[in-house]
Structures are given as structure tokens and as C-alpha cells.
Amino acid sequence: MVGRLIQTAKSAYQYPLIFKQLWHTPLVQAPDQEVVYRDLKRFTYRQIRERIGRLASALSKAGVVPGDTVSVLDWDSHRFLEAFFAIPMMGAVLQTVNVRLSPEQIAYTIDHAGASTLLVNDDFVELLEGLKAQLPKIKRLIVMSDRPAPQTGSLSFVGEYESLLAAASPDYDFPDFDENTQATTFYTTGTTGLPKGVAGAAARRVRKTSAYRRGSETKQEENQRHHNKSTGREIWRRAFTRLSKWSAPVPNPGKKPRLQPSIELRRR
């Protein structure tokens, strides 16, 4: 059953539930609130929003277009947060790579997602060198690092994350688009076969974030959140919820876990 629709004025703004709208209130009410990454970086919301624009400009210049999938292989860092917004706000699809999967499963999820671009922390360069042959769809690599000089191994990168941002414009014109546009792709842990992909639309993600901000998590959502802790989706939720609550810092990743095949993790 469909209710009665009203006719809106031509001048009325059709406000879609998309990622860029979530920045309106924080930038007005708390522009100097800080996001902290470990003991390494501190950014205000205003600076983070500027960096998001720079990242989108850099990705666009590198060849990323709406509809492309961009994979991110990183720890829970400020770069993760920036990519989390910039990529869906461009109309592209964000795939957060679960670093705790086995190398074969990591390659499978990136390839299955159809990613053409991969942002990779240099902690995973050695891993990626061994997987390169299994990733024929990847057209471009961007390296990220907490070191003064990133480790690149034998891989060829279009650039280093901070250098690309420094050379890019912060004034990327993020478009409006249908709120049902795919924004994210996540994968399960693959405990019963290959990891399963889950696509998320922009509107659903924005609504879910707003629900966390209001503290109106239902029992079903709580159960799902606990289930998601073993996937990249929990990292995504934590980063987004932190920002939407105007709280700092971005969670400290602490000691980086050693990458192990999933079978070893299950035995523990």
C-alpha cells in the first residue's frame, strides 16, 4: 500500500540520505573537535573534512570514477576514516579488506569485489607481493605508511598517500545521487566456505549511523554488531560512530595483530 504523496515545489531540495550530509552539523557545531590517531596524528573535524576532499581529488585524478570499487588494506587509522567517507561520497564503492583473513581469502575478496584501486598500508606490502598475480583487476596501487619513508618492495605505486593529498585540491565537488547507490562492500570471515560479500546502500548506512548516535540500538542491531566484530564492518562502524558522536579519538589500534591463516585463528 502506498500513501498519498504530496506535490513538492520545484525549488524544494530533495535531501538524499548520503554520506556528505553527515558533515553539515559537526562542521557548524564542533569544527575544532579533534580526531586522534595513536600518538602520531591529531586533526580537527575541519581538517579531516578538508583531507577527505583532497583524497577524493587525488583518487579522481588517478582514474577512479563513480561505480568503481576501491579497496582499503589498512589498520584502524585516520586514513581509514578518510577513505571511509571520501570513496562513497564520490559515488564509488568502498571495500574494507579484513586483514585477519588468510592471504588467499584476502586476495579472493579483493578480486571478487572487482576492485580497480587498492590503498595499502606498507605493513602489507610483502603480503601483497605474494598476491599480485591473483589480483588481475587491480589497475593502481596507493601506498600508505606511518613511517617517514614507506616500504614499497617490488610493487609499483601511483603515489604515496600523504604526497597525493598534499598535491590535491580540498575542494572536490561531491555530487548528490540516489540514496540507494551502493556505498560499501563487506565480506564475512569465511568460516563456512569462501567469504560472502554484503553490499550496503548509502541510505542504510546513514540511517544506521544516526541510530548509533541517538543511542537507539535495538537488540537485533546489538546482536548483529557483536557478529560483525570479526569482519571489517565493525571497524567501519566504530570509525563512523566515533565521528557522528563528535567524540575523539579514533580508536587506538594498539599492538598490531600478526597476520595468520584463519585456520590457526580458529584453533586458538
Side-chain angles (χ1 to χ4, degrees), residues 208-220:
K208 191 170 184 65
T209 301
S210 298
Y212 279 115
R213 183 174 58 200
R214 294 191 304 269
S216 57
E217 185 180 39
T218 65
K219 185 64 178 177
Q220 181 179 2

Side-chain angles (χ1 to χ4, degrees), residues 114-181:
S116 60
T117 303
L118 176 60
L119 279 61
V120 56
N121 187 301
D122 65 350
D123 285 347
F124 301 107
V125 163
E126 184 177 353
L127 168 70
L128 192 58
E129 286 177 312
L131 301 179
K132 186 177 179 181
Q134 302 176 52
L135 302 173
K137 299 170 188 172
I138 293 293
K139 299 178 181 178
R140 59 192 72 88
L141 298 171
I142 294 174
V143 66
M144 306 179 292
S145 181
D146 291 333
R147 302 179 177 91
Q151 308 299 308
T152 58
S154 62
L155 299 176
S156 177
F157 294 91
V158 299
E160 184 272 329
Y161 187 89
E162 291 297 335
S163 297
L164 291 175
L165 263 63
S169 169
D171 301 320
Y172 187 87
D173 185 17
F174 290 106
D176 286 345
F177 43 79
D178 191 300
E179 64 185 21
N180 293 310
T181 301

Side-chain angles (χ1 to χ4, degrees), residues 57-165:
S57 295
L59 290 174
S60 179
K61 185 176 180 180
V64 175
V65 298
D68 283 357
T69 294
V70 179
S71 296
V72 179
L73 182 57
D74 192 14
W75 306 108
D76 195 358
S77 71
H78 65 96
R79 298 175 298 264
F80 196 111
L81 178 66
E82 292 155 7
F84 164 80
F85 279 99
I87 294 166
M89 283 166 63
M90 295 175 66
V93 180
L94 167 69
Q95 185 220 348
T96 55
V97 182
N98 186 346
V99 301
R100 293 170 180 80
L101 294 176
S102 69
E104 292 73 20
Q105 289 175 327
I106 287 176
Y108 170 79
T109 58
I110 295 172
D111 186 66
H112 186 268
S116 60
T117 303
L118 176 60
L119 279 61
V120 56
N121 187 301
D122 65 350
D123 285 347
F124 301 107
V125 163
E126 184 177 353
L127 168 70
L128 192 58
E129 286 177 312
L131 301 179
K132 186 177 179 181
Q134 302 176 52
L135 302 173
K137 299 170 188 172
I138 293 293
K139 299 178 181 178
R140 59 192 72 88
L141 298 171
I142 294 174
V143 66
M144 306 179 292
S145 181
D146 291 333
R147 302 179 177 91
Q151 308 299 308
T152 58
S154 62
L155 299 176
S156 177
F157 294 91
V158 299
E160 184 272 329
Y161 187 89
E162 291 297 335
S163 297
L164 291 175
L165 263 63

